[in-house]
Amino acid sequence: MNVTFPHMGTLHIVLKAMLTTLGVRAVPPPPISKTTIEIGARFSPETACLPFKTTLGNFIQALEAGADTILTCGGAGPCRLGYYATVQRDILRDLGYKFAMIVIEPDLASVWQSIRRLAPGGIRPLWPAFRLAGAKLRALDAIERAACRARPRAAASGDVDAERLRALAAVDEAATPAAAAEAVASSLRRLEGLPAGSGPPPLKVGLVGEIYVMLESGVNGDLVRTLGRMGAEVHPTMLLGDYVDTHILRDKAALRRSEAVAAAAAPFIGHYVGGHGMKSVGHTAAMGRTGFDGIIHVFPFTCMPEVIAKNILPVVSVQEGIPVLSLAFDEQTGEAGTVTRLEAFVDLLRYRRKRQETAAAAQKQLN
């Protein structure tokens, strides 16, 4: 069994570890490129969203490389994600590919049943596989958060990017949970030891929106790294571990955080609209009250839940006093256009912070 899966951020490292421990050959697709997106868009319905087209491109490239089984996700609610697997399976079979498809629904029972289908050696390797994959999941999230913090503070942001890549490779190669934890600890020490820059204090920017576009640098113009180079500390509101804790493990602490986000969204949106639309609104409102300088809202073009959020966010922006930039992505999106909009937004945030500091200083003198 040669198993492939779609890319989404660093998810391939987690899935590769799990499959390899189960005794299955993992066939990750090539990193997402313009070619991947062009292949997927060529065979997708025109109005399908970018994640659909990109993951279809992943599958075609992996099947051409020898994969015979596709591991992918299902979904529930108004988001079209729930139809991806069925439609993509039909498209691929119409193209003549022979393969099996295993669809994991977002609940622990489905994950367990699906993984058992991938365990030719019985259930004995399941626990070590889950344990190693979970350790790598936590390690990767820790590295991403540390890199987001270090990038705008370092004298050379390229040093942070190089260290991040080195840490990701170390986690990928780790054969045990302890080795993954040591890779993270070593990386954090090296990041803390990098020379600091002399620029102004970093801007604090929240990243909200649809999870695939938030996490996949191959489709979002690598905006987290771009913002870091511009002097912004980016706070992604959802990494891989956050999704697993909330939607699969149903962790109590994660569910309490989700309830708090829903409560923050409640004055602006009255019910669940699918995907992460409500969370985009709630996180923006909450971050507006906790000292953030601005919010970047990202989503695939035609994404219904996030289009709803986009139309509510201007009201949240005014009432909570926080600037919001919404960016839609499709296969036509150019990196230069995205960078230009980010530069303008960062300039606005710096001007706004300076004006607030000047007003505060004047008020202090009056007092």
Side-chain angles (χ1 to χ4, degrees):
M1 187 182 293
N2 300 321
V3 181
T4 192
F5 38 79
H7 277 296
M8 187 173 77
T10 54
L11 178 64
H12 61 287
I13 296 175
V14 178
L15 293 179
K16 182 180 153 192
M18 185 184 69
L19 292 170
T20 303
T21 309
L22 290 173
V24 175
R25 179 172 178 255
V27 185
I32 292 173
S33 63
K34 285 186 177 178
T35 301
T36 307
I37 298 173
E38 286 172 1
I39 292 172
R42 188 185 313 156
F43 299 109
S44 297
E46 184 178 359
T47 56
C49 61
L50 185 58
F52 181 99
K53 295 172 181 175
T54 308
T55 55
L56 182 64
N58 284 156
F59 295 151
I60 290 174
Q61 289 183 309
L63 291 169
E64 294 287 350
D68 57 26
T69 302
I70 292 174
L71 181 65
T72 189
C73 65
C79 174
R80 289 177 290 182
L81 173 65
Y83 297 102
Y84 275 20
T86 300
V87 179
Q88 289 175 329
R89 181 177 56 205
D90 290 348
I91 291 173
L92 292 170
R93 287 184 174 163
D94 287 346
L95 291 173
Y97 291 106
K98 307 294 184 187
F99 62 95
M101 179 176 276
I102 298 174
V103 182
I104 300 179
E105 298 297 336
D107 64 73
L108 191 57
S110 176
V111 173
W112 177 258
Q113 291 167 3
S114 299
I115 300 303
R116 284 205 63 181
R117 292 178 60 188
L118 293 166
I123 63 171
R124 186 179 295 273
L126 286 178
W127 170 243
F130 273 114
R131 190 161 170 262
L132 180 59
K136 293 196 176 191
L137 185 75
R138 306 299 172 190
L140 294 167
D141 283 0
I143 292 167
E144 295 296 353
R145 288 198 167 95
C148 284
R149 174 174 169 75
R151 199 172 282 119
R153 293 177 170 84
S157 62
D159 291 345
V160 177
D161 298 331
E163 175 52 39
R164 172 183 173 271
L165 291 178
R166 181 163 62 174
L168 295 186
V171 172
D172 190 18
E173 294 171 3
T176 64
E182 176 53 34
V184 174
S186 299
S187 178
L188 296 185
R189 285 194 295 271
R190 287 191 292 270
L191 285 172
E192 289 174 359
L194 291 175
S198 56
L203 295 166
K204 197 173 175 183
V205 174
L207 180 61
V208 306
E210 191 270 339
I211 184 171
Y212 182 85
V213 176
M214 267 203 289
L215 296 184
E216 181 47 63
S217 61
V219 303
N220 67 20
D222 207 2
L223 64 84
V224 171
R225 195 160 63 94
T226 301
L227 283 165
R229 288 200 307 265
M230 294 177 184
E233 181 181 349
V234 181
H235 293 253
T237 51
M238 184 171 288
L239 295 177
L240 291 173
D242 301 317
Y243 181 87
V244 169
D245 287 343
T246 305
H247 298 279
I248 296 177
L249 299 180
R250 311 292 291 173
D251 175 75
K252 288 183 180 178
L255 292 176
R256 282 196 295 272
R257 288 194 293 272
S258 288
E259 289 170 1
V261 172
F268 306 100
I269 185 169
H271 58 85
Y272 176 68
V273 294
H276 309 287
M278 178 182 279
K279 287 181 177 175
S280 294
V281 174
H283 280 301
T284 299
M287 288 173 161
R289 300 166 193 165
T290 52
F292 277 75
D293 292 289
I295 300 293
I296 303 286
H297 171 227
V298 296
F299 58 98
F301 182 63
T302 75
C303 173
M304 186 272 288
E306 296 300 336
V307 168
I308 292 173
K310 179 180 181 296
N311 285 281
I312 295 171
L313 287 176
V315 179
V316 183
S317 174
V318 171
Q319 292 197 15
E320 301 297 343
I322 185 165
V324 178
L325 174 65
S326 289
L327 297 172
F329 291 84
D330 66 9
E331 65 271 28
Q332 307 296 333
T333 302
E335 186 174 340
T338 301
V339 170
T340 300
R341 296 186 69 187
L342 292 177
E343 286 175 339
F345 189 64
V346 167
D347 283 348
L348 180 148
L349 298 185
R350 290 214 177 281
Y351 171 76
R352 181 173 176 269
R353 178 186 276 189
K354 187 175 180 181
R355 191 176 63 178
Q356 289 174 335
E357 290 172 348
T358 302
Q363 185 63 42
K364 188 176 180 181
Q365 285 184 344
L366 288 175
N367 294 339

